[in-house]
Amino acid sequence: MTGAAALLSDLAGIAGAANVLTGPGLEAYERDWRKRWHGRAMAVVRPGSVAEVASLVSRCARACREGLPVSLVPQGGNTGLVGGGVPDETGRQIVVSLARMRSVRRLDVDNLTITVEAGCVLQAVQAAADDAGLHFPLSLASEGSCTLGGNLASNAGGTQVLRYGNARELCLGLEVVTAAGEIWQRLDGLRKDNTGYDLRDLFVGSEGTLGLITAATLRLFPRPRARFTVWAACAGLPEAVALLRRLRAEFDAELVGFEAMNAASLGLVARHFPDVARPLPDARGTASAPWSLLIELASARDPAALHAHAEAVLSDVLATGGVQDVLAASSVAQARALWRVREAIPLAQAAEGLNIKHDVAVPVSALPGFVEMADARLDAMLPGVRHITFGHLGDGNLHYNLQAPEGVDAARYLADHEPGANAVVYDVAGGLGGTFSAEHGIGRLRRGELAQRRTGVELGMMRAVKRALDPLGLFNPGVMLPGGDGPGPAPP
Ligand SMILES: Cc1cc2nc3c(=O)[nH]c(=O)nc-3n(C[C@H](O)[C@H](O)[C@H](O)COP(=O)(O)OP(=O)(O)OC[C@H]3O[C@@H](n4cnc5c(N)ncnc54)[C@H](O)[C@@H]3O)c2cc1C
């Protein structure tokens, strides 16, 4: 038996033959959500317990030490947008899918925590919290498919970061299988624990490059008694930022979401999902305003009190010209319908064809200047380019995406113009104190930017951490860190 055949036979012994998939038919694991990266896996393994994960990692580390150049690609829901969860084209990588590890281990109502396995789908965690009368606030358009392991490995953001923080802030503890095949577990749900380096924070956001997350303990919150969802049309981003300032002053922590969308984003939704776009009141002009805002308030107050306060503030803003129009959802169903419009934007972009994606953040105060400068430079460089700009304005984070002009081949356009467009966007964001990756991570897509736009000191520390925790380069080589592309000792 060859080294690879012996390895696969041992993995079948560990996870069960039915959970070691090889050969054709692995497309769903080998191709990313955007259909931009398509690799070839040696196998897909679907372990069912942390003990199985530890055994399979130990066995692969042994194979690696014996000279078989194998490495592991952790995968959750495969909804990542930067190509970090799919194998490369070498055929030497094993995808470790956590999809079978999806149980809720514990929910502690008094401690306001839930402990779940990494393969739990985000929506299932939200539902488990809701069933207990509590609230898990991480919320992304991909929540029906993405998993907690993936959310934590990529430190996902989403639509309620303004109030509750990123996935990192929601995580109190982890269970991780290390590159040595050992199990590190800290799932106690403590809010205070100053006992040495914070290992949890090393793994959150590590994109599968340091270890395999198998479970996590997450913060829960009391379920809000009242919600108020409103769609607002406004003339420009300076007005949007002024409205954000006013709402923060009026509502403080009751303001949980503040999203912005330009008219072109909504145009794509109308083109590809006319049914979803229908709740928008075209007749009143909100759908065609230069910018639309989707704002969510949530509170422990009496619903009538929250609604009365919100309506008074919005009437005042409308009367003083701060916004052009507002539409407050009058039912839970209407609120959901408004959110569906926002959530449909990335889907409509995917339906429109390949596009150049940017996930930038700048200080909120600099956002209007960022869009103005980046738009002007790109329009001069790429006449006719379509700006699909939307995102989490309240966090200073915009998906500043570019679609080829109508009628132009999207793949060709991407190949020709992505590097130039990236340079413009990241230079403008960087000049305003911003970042080139706010919530999607680095993956395969932004490794070049990481190498270029982070200092030698930062990169040196990142490499030292990688070397210390994964000396064989077993976990996700080719993702995030420049250098160390294959299994074997990481470069000095
Ligand atoms: C329509 C749509 C909307 C989205 N909206 C948002 C948004 O608002 N905010 C946001 O932040 N992201 C968003 N995303 C991106 C994506 O959904 C998130 O990054 C999500 O957290 C990925 O979870 P996943 O389970 O699909 O991870 P995967 O795609 O499977 O993996 C992502 C990364 O994590 C690693 N990984 C996965 N599981 C583990 C594990 N158990 N242990 C260690 N490493 C692991 C992978 O190797 C990979 O590097 C969106 C994506 C789509 C398609």
Side-chain angles (χ1 to χ4, degrees), residues 305-317:
L306 178 71
H307 289 207
H309 186 183
E311 277 158 16
V313 171
L314 288 169
S315 303
D316 183 46
V317 174

Side-chain angles (χ1 to χ4, degrees), residues 272-298:
H272 294 284
F273 302 103
D275 287 352
V276 171
R278 203 157 291 150
L280 290 180
D282 285 308
R284 296 163 64 195
T286 49
S288 52
W291 286 90
S292 294
L293 307 172
L294 182 53
I295 299 158
E296 178 96 3
L297 302 171

Side-chain angles (χ1 to χ4, degrees), residues 33 74-81 84-85 98 118 140-142 146-147 149-151 153-154 156-158 207-208 211-213 346 392 439-440 476:
W33 187 86
Q75 192 180 89
N78 199 11
T79 66
L81 299 175
L98 279 295
L140 325 176
S142 54
C146 66
T147 63
N151 298 151
S154 59
E207 300 186 40
L212 247 153
I213 297 170
H392 318 296
E439 60 173 10
H440 294 160
N476 237 354

